[in-house]
Amino acid sequence: MRDRAYMKTISFLFLVAITYSCSTPDAWEDDYPTSLSAQTMDLSMETPEEYKNFEYLIGTWQIQIGDDRFVNMSFDWAQDKLMIKYTSTNPVKKGETPSLEVEGVIAHHGTKEKLVFMSAYLRDVRGASLMNEGYFQFPSENVIERIFTVHYKEGSGIPWTDGQRAPKGGHPVDFKQIWTKVDENTFSGEFFWKKDGKWQPPYQSSSGKKEKWTRII
């Protein structure tokens, strides 16, 4: 019986292979685009329910760092509003051309029922690649919490630790940002990391201070 079942399985797979091999290249190209970027975007489509609390962030935002430097952060629809592309720039002075620091993607996780994301630091000032992954939650209508883990590669510096470097196998650090909508063109931001099991500002001077992000596009 087992041999018969095995032969039936092999025969079925052989027929499937024959069927697909007889398909013309044109047919495959019609069904499957050669690249995701080749697909057209339809921004007129209704925003999926899972993204509606996040929708107002679509666009480009800017924050001032210190007296004369700025960082841009952008969120753009992708795949007919089924995904969101995310980028953030290195700090630059006004008038300079910004370069990307972080690039990633946001999508709805059907099993976890959350908006999740993964992004990479394209150029780390410590000379090491960093990855982060996490999720968003929406405790109230105008508040978005971004909770994520940054994975520091072995030997790379860990911020706010007086020169500590990641050991063999790397070192994860948990962070949280709270974005509060002020109006359609402004939101405030708070930044925390998890130390000794508690969320707290990573350095004392940031305690109680909120970032101010302004829409520029």
Side-chain angles (χ1 to χ4, degrees):
M1 291 296 293
R2 292 176 59 186
D3 290 341
R4 183 179 298 175
Y6 172 79
M7 290 306 298
K8 283 184 177 180
T9 302
I10 293 298
S11 298
F12 172 74
L13 293 176
F14 178 74
L15 288 173
V16 170
I18 291 294
T19 300
Y20 285 156
S21 66
C22 291
S23 300
T24 64
D26 290 341
W28 281 100
E29 290 175 3
D30 289 342
D31 291 339
Y32 299 97
T34 55
S35 69
L36 292 178
S37 60
Q39 295 181 342
T40 58
M41 279 287 295
D42 184 1
L43 295 180
S44 66
M45 296 183 67
E46 182 179 354
T47 300
E49 190 66 31
E50 297 84 1
Y51 293 93
K52 286 188 175 178
N53 287 333
F54 198 92
E55 186 175 22
Y56 85 91
L57 283 179
I58 298 296
T60 299
W61 302 80
Q62 188 175 83
I63 185 174
Q64 183 171 343
I65 306 294
D67 294 330
D68 61 351
R69 295 192 301 163
F70 299 84
V71 169
N72 292 345
M73 178 170 62
S74 297
F75 300 97
D76 298 292
W77 288 118
Q79 300 302 302
D80 294 338
K81 293 190 174 182
L82 294 179
M83 300 169 67
I84 296 173
K85 293 185 296 182
Y86 159 72
T87 59
S88 180
T89 67
N90 288 293
V92 295
K93 291 184 178 180
K94 201 74 171 179
E96 293 180 344
T97 301
S99 60
L100 289 184
E101 179 186 32
V102 178
E103 189 168 22
V105 64
I106 301 166
H108 179 253
H109 194 300
T111 303
K112 295 181 179 180
E113 290 296 329
K114 291 180 178 179
L115 285 188
V116 300
F117 69 91
M118 177 175 285
S119 56
Y121 289 78
L122 305 179
R123 185 188 67 82
D124 179 38
V125 294
R126 290 168 293 279
S129 297
L130 298 177
M131 298 289 295
N132 71 52
E133 57 187 353
Y135 62 92
F136 295 94
Q137 56 188 21
F138 307 92
S140 64
E141 183 179 359
N142 293 320
V143 177
I144 298 175
E145 292 183 348
R146 180 175 181 255
I147 300 171
F148 59 101
T149 301
V150 176
H151 300 276
Y152 291 88
K153 181 181 175 182
E154 178 181 340
S156 62
I158 302 173
W160 310 301
T161 58
D162 295 325
Q164 181 181 340
R165 292 191 171 273
K168 184 176 182 180
H171 182 75
V173 179
D174 294 327
F175 294 94
K176 178 168 72 170
Q177 290 173 289
I178 301 177
W179 297 336
T180 303
K181 180 179 179 181
V182 177
D183 54 44
E184 292 299 322
N185 297 307
T186 314
F187 71 86
S188 65
E190 299 171 86
F191 183 59
F192 305 90
W193 73 337
K194 186 173 283 189
K195 184 178 181 182
D196 300 326
K198 297 180 180 180
W199 293 114
Q200 54 188 289
Y203 41 89
Q204 192 61 35
S205 62
S206 68
S207 180
K209 291 187 176 181
K210 292 187 178 183
E211 305 166 342
K212 180 182 178 182
W213 291 88
T214 304
R215 183 189 300 276
I216 59 173
I217 298 177

